[in-house]
Amino acid sequence: MRLIFTSLASYGHLYPLLPLAVAARNAGHDVVFATAADFHPTVEKAGLEPVDVGLTIQDAFMAQYDGDLRKRNEVPPAELEATIARVFSRVLPDRFIADLDAMFTKQRPDLLVYEIGNPGGAFAAMKAGIPAMGHGFGRVATGGIADGIRKSVEDHAIELGIAGEERFSWGNPFVDICPPSVQSPEFLAGARRLPLRPVGWSEPGDLPAGVAARDRDRPLVYLTLGTTPMSQAHILASAISALAELEADVLVATGPSVEVSSLGAVPANVRLEAWVPQSELMPHVDLVVHHGGSGTTLGAFTAGVPQLVLPQGADQFSNAEAVTAAGVGDQLVGDAVTTEAVREKAQRLLTDSAVADAVRALAAEVAAMPSPDEVAAQLPDYV
């Protein structure tokens, strides 16, 4: 069977699809992965064939603000939200539709698997009469800007003659990697779910020295604000100051958006790394302090690690609410992110037995979900 997987060109959108794509390839299917060229090296490291489709999120936004010298915080919120909705509902989908249409004339697949942030993949397949399957990257967010994007996407779908609702993937089957207990109840009730265990994916690499063989009597706290431009150095610096006061070691992944030099000197119990193999690191840590990205949130669920979430934008607020409601962590939002508050909440999460029990229960729920190999074996049933 010939399969096309397609995602936006972003780690948070691409990584969640790789375990199933690799499992499908291992099962003997002909698999290609369609995304922008910037992420082809990542696809190739997974042993998959990349195809150049679409453009990066960054390029899409740069085109909208070409010649505009304002900084992000200088753009009025209403204007910024309208631009975000246009990029994700029009600019990116239209480019993916055009590129996939051209691809179908040469490589028509039996099934196309699109991640939910890339409706252009769904639109291209449905217009061409190709069976399509959605794939989530975490909890299905509702409220705030997510609703505005969803409404704009659905309006675009109607113009293309496609009926149905975006949050239910237009009636297509949907690979859901979010454990049911923290998934949106509305989505659980209305979608054609195909559950899949969230399997962390990161590019191959060695753990930082000393992590694997460390003394587990001393806690290890992992701090990251992710890989997107929403990562802010001042928030990272404040969190470092707070966590350094704990009787713990702190490992910080600064990511590509923060200049390490801007953080200055750090205490002896803090280690800065530009990048870490997160999926391999998670089982070795005792607390994750992060931005609320879906990959980190689900990775902590899987590894059974409590979380302190400092959301900055997008679906991060929804993820933070879910973490708190499930009792597996806590959150600090906006002006509440102070050094004292981060330190106090982190200390509680490291020692609260109720949180530890909730974390273990959620990890067991994740472990019971079907594996990528099991789901790959079902894909021919959807053609």
Side-chain angles (χ1 to χ4, degrees):
M1 186 166 73
R2 183 168 185 79
L3 301 172
I4 293 177
F5 284 73
T6 185
S7 80
L8 297 183
S10 164
Y11 292 110
H13 291 261
L14 187 149
Y15 275 2
L17 273 67
L18 290 178
L20 183 58
V22 169
R25 179 207 63 201
N26 292 345
H29 299 298
D30 182 3
V31 178
V32 297
F33 204 109
T35 193
D38 293 43
F39 280 78
H40 286 189
T42 300
V43 173
E44 290 170 340
K45 288 176 183 177
L48 299 170
E49 177 190 347
V51 178
D52 191 6
V53 168
L55 70 165
T56 66
I57 297 173
Q58 181 180 9
D59 286 345
F61 276 102
M62 287 180 65
Q64 299 302 299
Y65 287 101
D66 185 28
D68 192 330
L69 300 180
R70 291 176 297 174
K71 296 180 180 178
R72 180 187 174 98
N73 61 4
E74 295 173 338
V75 180
E79 178 187 339
L80 182 60
E81 289 191 9
T83 301
I84 291 171
R86 182 167 62 254
V87 165
F88 284 101
S89 69
R90 299 279 176 172
V91 178
L92 288 165
D94 283 348
R95 176 62 179 272
F96 272 86
I97 291 170
D99 289 351
L100 285 168
D101 278 347
M103 182 180 175
F104 293 159
T105 63
K106 303 175 182 177
Q107 308 177 64
R108 185 178 177 88
D110 299 298
L111 175 68
L112 182 140
V113 181
Y114 60 93
E115 58 95 0
I116 196 60
N118 184 19
F123 296 163
M126 295 167 75
K127 286 174 68 230
I130 294 169
M133 174 178 288
H135 193 304
F137 53 77
R139 190 174 190 272
V140 176
T142 56
I145 194 170
D147 287 347
I149 295 172
R150 181 170 293 117
K151 175 63 166 58
S152 189
V153 169
E154 290 176 355
D155 288 345
H156 194 184
I158 291 170
E159 293 172 12
L160 296 171
I162 297 170
E165 297 178 90
E166 186 271 351
R167 68 183 182 279
F168 299 135
S169 208
W170 299 281
N172 293 320
F174 186 95
V175 178
D176 185 12
I177 63 172
C178 184
S181 67
V182 290
Q183 182 57 280
S184 160
E186 182 187 22
F187 177 78
L188 291 174
R192 293 177 59 194
R193 292 179 64 250
L194 179 59
L196 170 65
R197 184 187 313 151
V199 176
W201 188 278
S202 55
E203 294 191 17
D206 296 328
L207 288 172
V211 168
R214 72 182 184 83
D215 180 1
R216 294 304 296 253
D217 290 337
R218 182 174 171 86
L220 176 61
V221 179
Y222 170 47
L223 170 63
T224 177
L225 293 183
T227 59
T228 73
M230 285 185 287
S231 301
Q232 299 182 55
H234 72 280
I235 295 177
L236 199 63
S238 178
I240 289 171
S241 297
L243 299 173
E245 297 178 14
L246 301 174
E247 289 296 322
D249 294 317
V250 182
L251 177 60
V252 185
T254 59
S257 301
V258 173
E259 287 289 340
V260 175
S261 60
S262 69
L263 299 174
V266 297
N269 64 332
V270 176
R271 184 192 311 186
L272 303 180
E273 299 281 352
W275 175 88
V276 296
Q278 181 169 282
S279 60
E280 298 175 35
L281 174 67
M282 279 290 189
H284 298 279
V285 305
D286 300 287
L287 172 67
V288 182
V289 181
H290 66 105
H291 56 305
S294 291
T296 308
T297 302
L298 290 176
F301 290 165
T302 301
V305 181
Q307 311 177 49
L308 175 56
V309 187
L310 314 175
Q312 308 299 302
D315 60 343
Q316 298 169 11
F317 295 101
S318 175
N319 289 337
E321 292 287 350
V323 165
T324 304
V328 296
D330 210 335
Q331 62 176 316
L332 287 167
V333 180
D335 293 340
V337 183
T338 65
T339 299
E340 181 180 0
V342 171
R343 182 183 66 250
E344 290 180 353
K345 286 188 179 292
Q347 182 61 54
R348 181 184 73 81
L349 292 171
L350 283 167
T351 57
D352 192 318
S353 60
V355 171
D357 290 342
V359 162
R360 282 193 292 268
L362 186 51
E365 179 184 352
V366 170
M369 296 172 71
S371 71
D373 289 341
E374 291 172 312
V375 174
Q378 300 178 52
L379 292 180
D381 298 337
Y382 293 90
V383 173

